[in-house]
Amino acid sequence: MLEIQNITKSYPGPRGVVRALDGISLRVGPGEFVAVRGPSGSGKTTLLLVAGGMLHPDEGRVLAAGHDVYRLPSEARSRLRARAIGFVFQQFHLIPYLTVFENILAPVLAQPNSGARMRAQDLIARLGLEQRRDHRPSELSSGERQRCALARALLHKPGFVLADEPTGNLDDHNGAIVLDFLSEYAASGRALLLVTHEARAAERAHRVVQLEAVVRTP
Ligand code: ADP
Ligand code: MG
């Protein structure tokens, strides 16, 4: 269960304070796929960063796997993040000098055990990347890059997946592959929170939460 309660987050800016999140609450249970929709600048990325334990909110709480995330010491929060959460980004964020196989193993590259290698190999097969296993990101299409990033995010079977516009750079065919894979993963008992401004991504969700545009206060 991932639960965010009454979250507010503001950023200081040259034209005044930007209130990116204004008292938002949301719960995603096991097996659930929740989409958050909203126009560009409505706070979607901010929401995911807060939900994923990467950005301290001004007010409110985030509860993940029974932990009050921002009450944990920062090291314990990092461990929880590494163990329990998988992130997928619009921009893929692959490591350019590693191969597909190595990128997928990146979270455990210091000490890859045989279980992780087998799981990486399995994800490569299921995501149709066999022919690209030893290629570097610059040699891949956008769709292949995102499939690689998806495999990396799911390597450790996280209980929560947070996806930030994961189909934003993909054509319909590759977008559908990514959405199918994420939906299936959620259906296996994990919680998926996906933010997007695209109808095609939101249509797949069990529930859609709409964010409104950000208000600036001088
Ligand atoms: P979205 O992902 O929906 O496009 P963001 O969460 O990225 O929205 O941004 C919400 C608002 O907060 C925007 O007005 C953006 O300019 C502002 N913002 C985001 N990050 C920062 C930051 N680090 N510093 C200042 N303002 C920011
Ligand atoms: Mg964003």
Side-chain angles (χ1 to χ4, degrees):
M1 174 76 76
L2 177 66
E3 190 166 357
I4 71 172
Q5 299 176 339
N6 295 314
I7 297 291
T8 64
K9 180 70 192 177
S10 296
Y11 299 106
R15 288 182 290 137
V17 171
V18 176
R19 201 162 172 84
L21 298 175
D22 190 8
I24 179 168
S25 298
L26 184 63
R27 186 191 290 194
V28 196
E32 216 181 359
F33 173 1
V34 175
V36 175
R37 273 193 91 174
S40 181
S42 60
K44 300 184 300 297
T45 294
T46 303
L47 174 66
L48 270 202
L49 294 176
V50 170
M54 293 197 286
L55 180 66
H56 211 297
D58 299 334
E59 293 167 73
R61 295 202 302 173
V62 175
L63 304 174
H67 297 279
D68 189 336
V69 173
Y70 291 97
R71 290 220 159 181
L72 291 173
S74 67
E75 254 186 43
R77 187 159 65 244
S78 299
R79 279 200 303 275
L80 173 69
R81 214 161 49 209
R83 191 180 74 238
I85 304 179
F87 289 95
V88 187
F89 305 96
Q90 180 176 358
Q91 312 289 354
F92 323 130
H93 295 307
L94 298 172
I95 300 171
Y97 50 84
L98 297 182
T99 65
V100 164
F101 186 63
E102 291 164 344
N103 263 288
I104 295 170
L105 283 172
V108 296
L109 211 51
Q111 274 184 315
N113 57 35
S114 61
R117 287 172 175 280
M118 279 171 58
R119 168 113 174 116
Q121 198 57 55
D122 175 52
L123 286 162
I124 282 174
R126 285 164 55 205
L127 285 160
L129 289 168
E130 291 103 326
Q131 306 305 317
R132 295 288 177 267
R133 182 185 183 279
D134 300 316
H135 289 236
R136 295 196 163 70
S138 62
E139 301 160 339
L140 305 177
S141 70
S142 302
E144 289 165 343
R145 286 178 201 175
Q146 191 60 304
R147 280 181 266 152
C148 178
L150 192 52
R152 178 186 57 189
L154 303 185
L155 180 73
H156 57 306
K157 300 188 183 164
F160 311 105
V161 179
L162 305 179
D164 191 356
E165 312 230 20
T167 57
N169 283 326
L170 305 185
D171 59 29
D172 282 346
H173 173 68
N174 280 291
I177 292 174
V178 166
L179 290 170
D180 283 345
F181 209 80
L182 282 170
S183 304
E184 265 178 47
Y185 187 72
S188 75
R190 274 73 175 214
L192 169 61
L193 181 61
L194 180 149
V195 308
T196 185
H197 64 272
E198 295 179 37
R200 66 174 177 177
E203 274 162 8
R204 312 290 294 269
H206 302 132
R207 201 144 51 79
V208 180
V209 175
Q210 182 73 38
L211 290 185
E212 305 297 335
V214 159
V215 179
R216 282 170 203 276
T217 47

